[in-house]
Amino acid sequence: MSISEEILKLIENGITEWDEIYTRLINHHKKNAVSMAKNRLIQQGKIKEEVINGKKILSMQEEELISNIEAYTFKESNEIKEYFKHTLHQNPDNRTFNIKELYCHSHI
């Protein structure tokens, strides 16, 4: 995994303070490589950096979040549709669905 991917993963997991991200990453990467990766992500528009209460905070750009949400929703909606099709095919006269079974079937 690249440094940029690690930064994005940490932000997605709720670690947003630059000092904490930096401290974690310099254990395995060169300091200047970590800083360069962050700057590259900012230039690419994937993340933004703000100073809040004197701390540098990184966050995903809104477009990136929307894109991820749309991809997730699309994937899950296809799995839900497949569950309904499968259930109706098994018993076309019964139009009730078991939420627990849906959950297990679709891996949501």
Side-chain angles (χ1 to χ4, degrees):
M1 181 182 298
S2 73
I3 299 171
S4 295
E5 290 170 332
E6 288 184 55
I7 292 170
L8 293 172
K9 193 69 166 172
L10 288 168
I11 293 171
E12 287 173 1
N13 289 330
I15 300 168
T16 58
E17 285 187 34
W18 170 241
D19 289 342
E20 186 175 349
I21 292 171
Y22 183 76
T23 302
R24 286 175 181 233
L25 295 178
I26 61 171
N27 291 328
H28 306 288
H29 305 286
K30 293 181 180 179
K31 291 178 180 182
N32 63 342
V34 173
S35 295
M36 287 173 44
K38 177 196 73 160
N39 292 335
R40 195 169 33 253
L41 287 170
I42 292 170
Q43 289 174 347
Q44 293 171 348
K46 293 186 178 183
I47 64 171
K48 64 181 178 177
E49 180 180 60
E50 303 173 275
V51 177
I52 300 173
N53 295 329
K55 296 180 181 180
K56 289 183 183 178
I57 304 296
L58 302 182
S59 60
M60 302 289 277
Q61 288 284 44
E62 293 302 319
E63 290 177 21
E64 187 75 17
L65 286 174
I66 290 168
S67 170
N68 289 341
I69 290 168
E70 286 173 352
Y72 176 80
T73 304
F74 178 76
K75 176 183 175 285
E76 296 305 329
S77 67
N78 284 338
E79 288 189 27
I80 292 168
K81 286 177 193 174
E82 288 303 314
Y83 166 76
F84 287 139
K85 285 180 189 177
H86 172 75
T87 303
L88 287 171
H89 179 72
Q90 296 286 42
N91 189 356
D93 296 332
N94 184 2
R95 299 218 179 256
T96 60
F97 302 96
N98 183 327
I99 297 298
K100 190 173 185 178
E101 188 178 299
L102 168 64
Y103 177 80
C104 293
H105 177 80
S106 65
H107 310 291
I108 296 176

